[in-house]
Amino acid sequence: MPDEPYEYAEWKRCRVNLDYHVEIAKHYYSVPHNLVHEEVEARITLKAVEIFLRGKRVASHLRSTLPHRPTTIAEHMPSSHRRYRDWTHERIRSEAAKVGPDAETLIEVILRSRPHPEQGFRSAIGILGLVKRYGQERVDAACARALLLNARSYKSVAAILKNGTDRTAPPAEEAPILFHTNIRGRSYYN
């Protein structure tokens, strides 16, 4: 007799997506990031999901029933993604508020303008990183200028700081000159 009772398992062939996850029963499980586009096999039981590449197990996860959510192991992430895993919406907003009101507003606009707020993390964290080089006051002023220009990216704020336009007053808006055929002017009435 075997030491452990028989456990029913299903097998499924999957392709690793660009985000280094495979979809199983509407849930996403991570695999090492260097396996993107590889075809793998998943062994699915009631309690676990194991992923195999050419017969070798490359990942193992506890089974989750949460639909459309990822289960990610930090070691599976590329180093560039690991940098951002400790950042949350609350932490980004809190750090932006420390820089100033315009930085807080711009970062909120960036996070809300993306289909998924996480897609704005890179820009937001980059803007917050500019404080080390330029200081809080200048970064907040650059964010104010970016808001006026409707610019929503790290590159825009960095360019404003590099060019020093955060230190100059924004151009005053002039009233538009109206040209219309029904406007006769002063000479018509004299």
Side-chain angles (χ1 to χ4, degrees):
M1 291 288 277
D3 292 338
E4 300 197 16
Y6 175 77
E7 184 176 32
Y8 175 77
E10 266 184 65
W11 287 85
K12 178 183 177 185
R13 287 185 190 268
C14 315
R15 187 161 302 277
V16 180
N17 291 315
L18 283 173
D19 65 356
Y20 50 87
H21 285 73
V22 293
E23 181 183 353
I24 296 168
K26 297 182 182 177
H27 190 82
Y28 306 103
Y29 298 93
S30 69
V31 299
H33 68 90
N34 60 330
L35 300 179
V36 169
H37 298 301
E38 290 283 347
E39 188 173 286
V40 294
E41 290 183 320
R43 181 178 181 269
I44 308 154
T45 68
L46 285 175
K47 297 179 183 175
V49 172
E50 296 175 294
I51 297 105
F52 294 85
L53 177 69
R54 295 188 267 293
K56 181 182 174 194
R57 188 171 75 176
V58 293
S60 180
H61 299 274
L62 289 175
R63 180 105 185 249
S64 175
T65 57
L66 296 172
H68 308 292
R69 296 271 189 244
T71 297
T72 307
I73 295 174
E75 290 77 31
H76 292 167
M77 303 168 85
S79 60
S80 60
H81 289 199
R82 271 186 249 148
R83 253 189 305 195
Y84 301 114
R85 77 169 173 208
D86 296 329
W87 288 86
T88 63
H89 294 91
E90 294 74 28
R91 181 176 175 197
I92 290 173
R93 288 183 179 112
S94 168
E95 294 293 322
K98 291 177 190 174
V99 175
D102 292 312
E104 184 178 20
T105 302
L106 177 63
I107 285 175
E108 185 64 33
V109 167
I110 288 171
L111 295 177
R112 287 180 186 234
S113 69
R114 304 304 200 286
H116 302 286
E118 291 80 8
Q119 294 172 339
F121 276 23
R122 193 175 233 162
S123 284
I125 293 168
I127 291 167
L128 294 173
L130 291 169
V131 171
K132 292 175 190 166
R133 184 170 179 191
Y134 295 101
Q136 289 182 341
E137 190 175 308
R138 284 197 64 199
V139 171
D140 195 49
C143 289
R145 177 63 65 99
L147 286 166
L148 284 173
L149 299 171
N150 202 23
R152 299 177 180 172
S153 70
Y154 162 81
K155 285 183 178 181
S156 299
V157 175
I160 290 168
L161 289 164
K162 183 180 178 185
N163 297 329
T165 53
D166 60 298
R167 295 177 172 165
T168 61
E173 287 191 35
E174 297 178 13
I177 299 172
L178 300 175
F179 292 100
H180 194 276
T181 56
N182 288 338
I183 298 176
R184 294 183 170 89
R186 187 181 342 169
S187 62
Y188 179 82
Y189 296 103
N190 288 338

